[in-house]
């Protein structure tokens, strides 16, 4: 479903919390299993594509910060879909490795030197 218009900003506030909530409620309303959630996505003003680019850039900048001093860097907690984007963005950077840390909504990606 593609949403845009005057109220699009409301859907996209706080990293699209309302947009994600609408997806979740829709999946539950049509009684899809959680593993069937991936094919369903709501789109609003191309937010997902822009967020993916933002996460990829953030991952590269954070990796650069890890390589120089050699200290781990923890990103803010994020949803599984976003953590996956970070892991994938750094898979071709042999000088760093990524790990998930935390539980539930506090789960985050930690970038560490590879050695």
């Amino acid at each position: 479903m593609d949403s845009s218009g005057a109220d699009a900003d409301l859907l996209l506030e706080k990293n699209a919390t309302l947009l994600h909530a609408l997806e979740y409620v829709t999946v539950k309303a049509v009684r899809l299993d959680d593993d069937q959630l991936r094919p369903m996505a709501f789109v609003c003003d191309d937010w997902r594509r822009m967020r993916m680019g933002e996460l990829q850039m953030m991952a590269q900048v954070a990796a650069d910060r890890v390589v120089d001093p050699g200290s781990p860097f923890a990103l803010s907690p994020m949803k599984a879909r976003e953590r996956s984007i970070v892991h994938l963005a750094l898979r071709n950077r042999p000088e760093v490795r990524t790990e998930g840390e935390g539980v539930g909504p506090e789960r985050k990606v930690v970038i560490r030197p590879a050695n």
Side-chain angles (χ1 to χ4, degrees):
M1 179 178 129
D2 188 0
S3 301
S4 59
D7 294 331
D9 290 345
L10 295 173
L11 289 172
L12 301 177
E13 283 182 359
K14 298 181 183 175
N15 283 332
T17 300
L18 183 56
L19 185 66
H20 293 299
L22 287 172
E23 284 179 352
Y24 179 81
V25 168
T26 302
V27 166
K28 293 303 178 186
V30 296
R31 298 179 185 201
L32 291 175
D33 294 327
D34 288 339
D35 60 340
Q36 294 175 312
L37 176 63
R38 286 205 180 260
M40 179 178 286
F42 288 10
V43 178
C44 184
D45 289 347
D46 211 17
W47 181 83
R48 288 189 195 284
R49 186 185 59 75
M50 289 187 297
R51 179 66 176 157
M52 180 182 283
E54 177 184 303
L55 289 167
Q56 290 169 336
M57 187 182 332
M58 179 176 48
Q60 296 299 331
V61 169
D64 291 341
R65 290 180 64 178
V66 167
V67 170
D68 187 26
S71 301
F73 186 86
L75 299 174
S76 300
M78 56 184 76
K79 297 182 182 309
R81 201 179 288 180
E82 293 186 343
R83 291 192 312 270
S84 177
I85 292 168
V86 172
H87 289 297
L88 291 172
L90 298 177
R91 71 176 177 234
N92 294 325
R93 298 273 311 252
E95 68 272 21
V96 297
R97 61 187 168 91
T98 59
E99 299 176 350
E101 189 175 280
V103 179
E106 294 303 311
R107 191 145 176 90
K108 57 189 164 196
V109 175
V110 179
I111 304 167
R112 301 183 187 282
N115 49 1

